[in-house]
Amino acid sequence: MTDPFIQAQQLRTQALFAVHDANRSFVERGWSDPVHVAGRTALDSVLLGLAQAKWGLGQADGTHREFAAAASDVQAAVEEARRGFERSIAACENIRLACEAGSPPNPVQRPELRRSAEIQFAGHVPLVPTICPVVVLQGSNAEMGWQYAQQVIDIYGPWVFAQQAKRTFTDTEALEITRWEAELQRLTPDVLAFASGMAQGCTDAGLPMTRQQAVAIWTGIRPPAREARPMAFAQMEGDSDARITAAYLGVAASTLTAETDMCSGICAWGRATADGSLIAGSSTDHDCTFQATIVAFPEEGHPFIYTPFSANGSIPVLGNFHMAGHPGMNAAGLAYVHHGGANTGEPQAQWGYGVRRGPATFHLLQFSSDAADARARLQAFPVGDAGISLGTVGGLFADAQSGFSLESRPGAPHSAHPIVREHSLDALGNTFDFLYANNNAMAPESGHLNCPPDAGYRYTVAGGWFTLDWNAIQSEPGPKAFRRLNTRSSEGRNRYAYSRMMMRYGSIDLAYMKEVYRQSGEMPSGTLEHIQRLWQNGTPWNSSTAHRGNAFTAVMQPRRGEGGRYLGCVGPAHRAVQPRGPEHGYHYFDETNTFSELELQHSPEAVLEAALALAHERLERGRAAMDALTPDHPAFSQFSRWLEEADHALAGITVARAVDPATTRARQLAGIARSLRSAVRAQVRSTQVIEAIASM
């Protein structure tokens, strides 16, 4: 008899594929077609019910333990989730059949929507914001940690930190936190102060949190790995329950393929770009969760912008990533583009305690003056917990003069032979001023990284180290299979990044990088089973860094001083992109598929002023674009609602410098942050109208 958890997880995967098929049935039709408009509306209703089913299953199988209390009646919760997935599958099938027949699908009954704090809920289930929220911090690191906790609670409500605040630790777990904390104190005391501030900020918001609980967000509770571990085995704190493993795979063991959640990053500078400046793009690739972009003005170091994967450091199903994320940039013109793709390159005997990727990235963005400085600082860290994803320092960094991707540091902090990429190459060995990374090793000397099969990996200049051999991928289960599968998926995305950078070498600009992250890869025709067979038979895949698995898509143009630009989009930046491979990807309620924009200025007030100016400009352009439509246009009502939302968001915003000087600085910053969130909402809604009408 099938385990009810496995059955529910199978249905979850089937529902995600059904959503994908429903979206494909109308997405290419465009806004002038009533089928497209009705299809989007109907699918949004399905996505609300699907969000409820996913949340309920997560409460039952433990994969949402950082976000929600465990189900009181596990059997009932699994059964309700199962019914929710079945309803989603049936509704998606009705949408698909209607759209393929050229008829607008019937409306789908949706759960009650309500608003709490600043986000929407489907019943009791929180929904991922369709526009990434922003927090604004200033002062000492302890003050910024306090402000971070307070502002994140303003956005989401106390529940976002409630599970962390309830955690208790065994003596063994407490000892591990103490050991990791000692490394933070020694190497990144600024991050430890930030964590202490978070604890106090939660406590002052009525959610008592100890310093130990806050520090654990940045460190985890486990000792360093003694063997390579994939995400579910490594990050899901507390156990390696078979239900969690199956949830990470997304399917039962008999399934032909798995959805592997990965990321991408590309940067170009110097000779590659139109004006010699740094241009970068990146995506985080997973089911997007509750995140917040940080705009920080520390009293020591450089102002910076950074988006962790999650506001509380954890991703449902995948687990705790210790505040890791990407991308980030600072006012010195430095960018952290991506985590770099390679891992397990240091000898296993050297793995141990150190600093996780999240705290290291915070520290480097705050204190590094350029790429060379960031590289020197990185190489001074110990090897750390190299056996898990993002368990230690590393990554792809760049400025307007140079870039590097640090793939391995054997012997660190005294590594005599680190593996560092500084340029991309052609077959003749010529160097080019761009770098990119997905989830495999790229340097010619990195063939031993990422758990190669017995026959080794293949190497190409554009694709890096990879295998397309399904038998080699599956020859050893668990962590090695995951890393090999990552190389298979990465190879095509690497070729895409390489070709797109070479295509416009010498004239790459921000607009072009946006195009790169909106251009879909190819998908072979045929049934899912046929496509999966092609994948497993080793057919090369012309995939793209822009795909349905994108959780957060960003492009940047950092600058030294003022004026660096940071553009972010929840989900893919184009709705019609294909998945990376024979996968379902992820879809979001009310997804916008366009970018908000922040400009890093000299003060929080100046950041707000720049965002407001752009919001007003976009709103005027949106209104002008609407003049070309008549009220009988199929999308007229939807576009009008977006412009009304933009207008409402801007109504009543006052520039923060006019705030009563008697107000505490923390309250002023909270007000600036709220206004900034309204400004970027107005930007996005107006831009949706502009881009939709331009596409017709």
Side-chain angles (χ1 to χ4, degrees), residues 132-138 144-145 147-149 151-152 155 194 198 218 291-298 302-312 323-325 327-330 358 361-362 365-366 552 566 598 600 607 673 676-677:
C132 186
V134 184
V135 297
V136 181
L137 318 176
Q138 186 178 43
M144 292 197 301
Q147 296 157 12
Y148 178 79
Q151 291 182 31
V152 167
I155 295 164
F194 193 100
M198 287 176 63
W218 298 82
Q291 57 187 32
T293 293
I294 297 167
V295 182
F297 292 84
H302 306 286
F304 63 90
I305 301 177
Y306 173 59
T307 306
F309 298 140
S310 167
N312 70 10
M323 298 301 289
M329 70 178 197
N330 71 14
T361 303
F362 264 74
L365 287 172
Q366 182 174 346
F552 182 67
Y566 186 101
L598 300 171
L600 190 53
V607 171
L676 186 57
R677 293 192 290 273

Side-chain angles (χ1 to χ4, degrees), residues 266 434 436 493-502 545:
I266 308 171
F434 66 86
Y436 55 92
R493 290 179 290 146
N494 285 332
R495 283 189 287 105
Y496 172 81
Y498 184 89
S499 66
R500 292 305 298 261
M501 292 298 98
M502 294 294 276
T545 56

Side-chain angles (χ1 to χ4, degrees), residues 22-35:
N23 185 64
R24 296 305 310 172
S25 71
F26 63 77
V27 71
E28 300 283 3
R29 288 177 172 270
W31 282 104
S32 294
D33 190 330
V35 174

Side-chain angles (χ1 to χ4, degrees), residues 440-478:
N440 65 330
M442 292 295 299
E445 61 269 44
S446 290
H448 63 290
L449 275 61
N450 292 345
C451 305
D454 289 342
Y457 287 130
R458 293 171 53 189
Y459 175 78
T460 65
V461 168
W465 293 96
F466 64 95
T467 180
L468 305 181
D469 184 338
W470 193 255
N471 290 329
I473 290 171
Q474 298 293 328
S475 62
E476 295 177 83

Side-chain angles (χ1 to χ4, degrees), residues 104-306:
N106 293 324
V108 175
Q109 184 176 2
R110 60 170 56 186
E112 178 187 1
L113 276 175
R114 65 181 181 87
R115 184 171 293 276
S116 181
E118 294 184 14
I119 67 166
Q120 289 184 303
F121 286 69
H124 72 281
V125 174
L127 300 175
V128 171
T130 190
I131 300 165
C132 186
V134 184
V135 297
V136 181
L137 318 176
Q138 186 178 43
S140 70
N141 283 71
E143 289 170 331
M144 292 197 301
W146 188 94
Q147 296 157 12
Y148 178 79
Q150 292 263 319
Q151 291 182 31
V152 167
I153 290 171
D154 284 346
I155 295 164
Y156 289 111
W159 65 267
V160 74
F161 291 124
Q163 297 309 306
Q164 283 83 351
K166 294 176 182 176
R167 292 189 74 167
T168 58
F169 305 106
T170 66
D171 290 345
T172 300
E173 292 168 342
L175 179 59
E176 287 303 321
I177 296 170
T178 299
R179 288 169 172 165
W180 287 106
E181 181 180 348
E183 296 296 290
L184 291 180
Q185 183 62 55
R186 182 171 69 91
L187 299 165
T188 58
D190 45 291
V191 174
L192 200 55
F194 193 100
S196 297
M198 287 176 63
Q200 190 61 52
C202 286
T203 299
D204 291 347
L207 186 68
M209 179 182 285
T210 67
R211 184 176 184 276
Q212 182 187 53
Q213 290 167 333
V215 170
I217 293 172
W218 298 82
T219 66
I221 60 175
R222 290 186 169 186
R226 290 290 171 252
E227 61 181 357
R229 297 198 305 242
M231 293 179 185
F233 292 90
Q235 325 301 2
M236 192 59 66
E237 305 279 25
D239 60 55
S240 55
D241 190 295
R243 297 196 304 270
I244 293 173
T245 302
Y248 174 68
L249 291 170
V251 285
S254 61
T255 304
L256 292 172
T257 189
E259 187 86 13
T260 50
D261 294 321
M262 299 178 285
C263 307
S264 72
I266 308 171
C267 58
W269 66 89
R271 296 171 297 167
T273 61
D275 60 1
S277 67
L278 172 64
I279 303 293
S282 75
S283 69
T284 61
D285 298 345
H286 53 266
D287 196 355
C288 190
T289 189
F290 307 96
Q291 57 187 32
T293 293
I294 297 167
V295 182
F297 292 84
E299 65 181 17
E300 294 183 70
H302 306 286
F304 63 90
I305 301 177
Y306 173 59

